[in-house]
Each structure stands twice: as C-alpha cells, then as structure tokens.
Amino acid sequence: MKILILGGTGEGRALAEKLAGDHNVVTSLAGATSSVLKIAGEVRVGGFGGEDGLADYLNQKKIEKLIDATHPFAAQMTDHAVKACVKTNTPYLRLDRPAWTMPPDAKVVFVSDMAEAARLVARTSRSAFLTIGQKGLENFQGLDSVKLLVRAIEGFDSNLKLENVTYVSARPPFALNAEISLMQLHQIDTLVSKASGGEATRAKLDGAAKIGARIILTRRPPSPDGERVFNVKDAVAWISKTP
Ligand code: NAP
C-alpha cells in the first residue's frame, strides 16, 4: 500500500520505521531544519502549495492513505491535509500527542499566543527559558530587563534583536536531570513553551516544577475532526483495518 506520512516529528519517524518494511511509505517534511535524522522509506521535502497542491500530489502519486503525524502546532498543514483528503477521498488519520498532565506542584499559566507569553515574561520574569522553536521568538525582542535562554534544534535568525540572550541548540528527547541542571545554571524562574504534549519534551515541565519556576504554555490548536490515535501502534493497526 502507498502511504503518505506528514512528518517533522519523532512520532512520524517512528511510524515510518514500523511501516516501511511492509508498505511503500513516503514521509513529507516541510524543510524547516537542514539536518534531519535518518527516516525509513522515501522522504520528500518542501510544501505542497496549499490544500490543492496536496490534493494533486495525492492523486499523482496514487497515495492510498495519509497519516498526519505533524506537530500539534502545525495547524495549517493539518487543515490542508484534512481538506485535501476529503477532496480526493483519501483516508486520513491524525497521529496526535497525548496532552501533558501537569506536575502536581507546578505553577502553570496558559496563554493564547506568544505575544501574551512575552508580555507576561516582561512583567514577571528575570530569567526565562524559551523552548518555543523559531516561530514566535520575535515577540521577545526588546525585553532588556530579562535574561533569555533560547533552545531550538538549529539555526537562529540573526535578524532577531533579542537582548541578554544565550542560545542552545539541542534535539529532543531531554532527560530530567539535564533539564534541571540547565535551568539551575541559568537561574531560570520561568519556562515558556507550547503545550505540545508527548513524552520527548515533558522533562522540562517536571524540571521547572522541581526548581519552582513558573511554566507559561500556549494552548494547543484544536485537533481536527475525524479519526485520531495517540500512539504509533494504533496508527499501524489503522492501516490494516481501514479499507
Ligand atoms: P504549518 O504552519 O502548519 O505549515 C506551514 C506550511 O508549511 C504548510 O502550509 C505547508 O506548506 C508546509 N508544511 C508544513 N509541514 C509540512 C510537511 N510535513 N510536509 C510538507 N510541507 C509542510 O507548520 P509549521 O508549524 O511551520 O511546522 C513545519 C514542520 O515542522 C511540520 O512538519 C511540523 O511537524 C514540524 N514541527 C513543527 C513544530 C511547531 O512548533 N510548529 C515543532 C516541531 C516540529 P504548503 O501549504 O505549501 O503545503
């Protein structure tokens, strides 16, 4: 069977690994990072050109099923995928991340976007740990009274005017002890993140709770209607049970 995985996540890579022996699997990446871990099966890189572009791709490549394993905050790609699948009558499955349960003693504030997170940081933090990827960092420009520790997989935009900033490049998963040490070293009082869910990056929440730092999380975009699973095993089972 020919299957398209919309990837860019550890879950997408794990799914490709499970399916590639039995199926013709293509994983699609946006091309946001230049260094990519090895992915089983075929890999294609770059946008499709909106929902119509993706619909054309599904038809041309005779894709029989699509599994959307993109990050929970990649809302545009998910929206396009749902619409393109309806248009082409391609079965769609969302491989989602379970939402985080918060550590019992955590001081958590949910906000609607990074602009609100940045305003809160400006008012209440002296040293903030930003684990938000690249998008949204511009909201933290001009916070000259706050030290920023910024972590992303790679590449920081040199046009950004962040004050008092330290950059760290690292790829998940992260271990609890390492997260605590990093936050203690930088005297972090506030962690800023997206409420992405999943296990690979949750250690920062537990670490922040442990050292008494406040946690600011942007709320997840709504999940799409339709079939959803929360682990790779159930996604593999969906392939065989869906006509
Ligand atoms: P997005 O805002 O939902 O998508 C923007 C555009 O990028 C889409 O319309 C599509 O372009 C293209 N695109 C996104 N994911 C793609 C994929 N897997 N294959 C081909 N094209 C893709 O997405 P995003 O938040 O920028 O995320 C981009 C990628 O990074 C995704 O694969 C996601 O899984 C991964 N990622 C995102 C985050 C995050 O916090 N957002 C974190 C970790 C990993 P066209 O309209 O031209 O098709």
Side-chain angles (χ1 to χ4, degrees), residues 182-201:
L182 182 67
M183 285 190 258
Q184 282 177 331
L185 179 68
H186 292 272
Q187 298 176 314
I188 296 300
D189 59 27
T190 308
L191 167 70
V192 183
S193 177
K194 300 170 182 173
S196 309
E199 280 311 304
T201 56

Side-chain angles (χ1 to χ4, degrees), residues 8-10 13 32-37 71 97 130-135 137 150-156 167-174 200-201:
T9 56
R13 207 160 57 84
T33 53
S34 58
S35 74
V36 174
L37 297 177
H71 188 272
R97 286 186 185 167
L130 309 185
T131 63
I132 64 173
Q134 303 286 351
K135 278 190 197 170
L137 282 176
V150 177
R151 181 169 69 194
I153 289 179
E154 69 176 24
F156 296 98
Y167 290 109
V168 187
S169 295
R171 191 185 283 276
F174 301 107
T201 56

Side-chain angles (χ1 to χ4, degrees), residues 6-8 27-33 44-48 70 74 77:
L6 300 177
T27 296
S28 177
L29 304 174
T33 53
R44 69 162 296 288
V45 181
F48 297 96
T70 55
M77 186 68 253

